Amino acid sequence: MGFDQLPLKSLFSGAEDALVSMLADAPDEAVEQAHEYKILRNVLGGTPAAVAILDEGLRFRYVNDAMARMSGVPPDAFHGRTMAEVLPDIHRSEDVLRMILGDGHPRALSVTGTTRAPSPFRQRQWSAVYHRLEDHNRVLGLCGIAVEVSGLRQYMDDLERAHQRLALLDTAATRVGTTLRVEQTCAELADFLVPSLADRASVWVLDTEEVDDLPPPAPGVLRLRVVASAGGADVVGRVGLTAKAGYYFDVPRDSPTRKCLDTGRPWVGNLASDDVLLKMLRTPLNVEVFREVGIHSVVVVPLPTGDHPVGVLYLTRAGDSAPFTDEDVVVAQELAARAAVSIDNARRYTLEHTMALELQRALMSEPSGPHPDIETASRYLPAGQRALVGGDWFDSMALPCGRTLQVMGDVMGHGFTAAVAMSQYRSLLRTIAASGAPVERILQEADHRLASIGLDRVATCLLALVDPHEGTCTYAGAGHPPPVLLHVGAPAELVHVPTGPPLGTDLGGYEAVTLPLKPGTVLLMYTDGLIEDRRRDIDSSLRRLTHLHLDTDGPLESVVDALVARLVHGTTEDDVTLLATRLRPR
């Protein structure tokens, strides 16, 4: 008996229970073949599951109406043909089907691909179960039952992409914007995007400063500077999207880049034609260079801030890489928005840090100095990149009768305003000290005047009046760390100075103490950046100073260098200012 002569129940022996149940009422005995196929169509034609019967050669012998609808192929077109012949874009494992023919164990398969039937899904997928068909221990073929799960699969894929997107953004938060440096932030962004989102990425930032060797841009033209790029070798020349860092490019009003900056919306050029690229690259030569390196798709994303974009982000794909999807563009926008905040903060920090640093150094370099019988050496070490310049200052003033006033101060806070306040403190103390008042009176008067003018930043201060003729030093402090004496051939010594309130509080109550100061002994005054350390308390840091054993006989500059090498390691949390004083031998 051949395949076409089998009775209906025998044909489906061993199939899934549900299918057997559906066929339970079919006659057990052989009937006319036309009658059996009529029953087959009636039983299986109404089910939403796709049902197919294949012979031992995996050729179709029957498909139901659901199978025809899912595939977009008429049932008659299946008969006697294989899946590859009827639906070449459907992928299933033929090896698994042959295993079922061999051992008779049913197996589940995932079948994917596209058919001729229209579908709302990007990728279609079916869950199928195959059973072996037998008649008296004779293998006849397979029966497959499939249900489409494309909607569920697309939902799971969308969910997985959403998780990947969130994970990408979370990772970017830890890898982009780790410092307050524009160049490093842009480099972190470009490096992060390659290869996770593009084959090549470059970051352009609006340049507001004039370049010495370049003429200013024409009216209405914006000048951008390539700050960072990543992915592949630089294409040197005039092709900005792939040029290396440091190149400048002028952007006219009619360019896609300018439109991105003006509108705040991305520009997408997927599989862009030469005409489209020409609008971006401006010259046919640049288009030719693009084609040579295999670039086929470009996305330009603005770097937005609250006021205006700080620049643009260029992403390109080349070679076998797929064009950018809408989701890729959305992710690029979110990354650009986050990075723009870091870049803008870094630019603001750099501007303020530079201004404050220049002001601070300018004020510290104003003409002033001790008497000739006193030598001094100083160091100013700005804090690391995470902190703004502070209000540290020092001074050395030659007073009548051969005396010299050494000043060390620290305005609370950081930034340009702290540096400006520091200049006011410094000027006021100079004015009062010129009157020849005792050190405690200098602090008292300064405290009262500063409070009366309403200066909103208090400051700590330490005064040391050195008298070489008497061999003494008189100290008075306003909430400042105590000085240290570095003796020749003896341990260092903390000087216990009566502590008064910081300047600007109008609390007063300052006291002075006079102690010997021998020639050769180094008086070290400093700001709290030298001793502040999150790993230890302040008393432990102060005791650390007394454990110093330095050769103080050499040049004073060398002594200060040794101090810095011993006490300052890497970047500090606050500015460090040192002022060393030593009596010259008579």
Side-chain angles (χ1 to χ4, degrees), residues 201-224:
S202 60
V203 184
W204 294 15
V205 172
L206 282 168
D207 197 77
T208 57
E209 298 181 0
E210 294 185 1
V211 183
D212 294 337
D213 55 350
L214 291 178
V221 174
L222 293 179
R223 176 161 290 169
L224 296 174

Side-chain angles (χ1 to χ4, degrees), residues 48 88 119 251 262 276 341 527 558 561 566 570:
S119 174
V251 181
D262 292 341
V276 172
V341 175
T527 54
S558 300
D561 288 338
R566 184 75 62 85

Side-chain angles (χ1 to χ4, degrees), residues 25-37:
D25 296 332
D28 292 333
E29 64 277 0
V31 295
E32 295 181 0
Q33 186 173 333
H35 178 61
E36 293 180 350
Y37 276 111

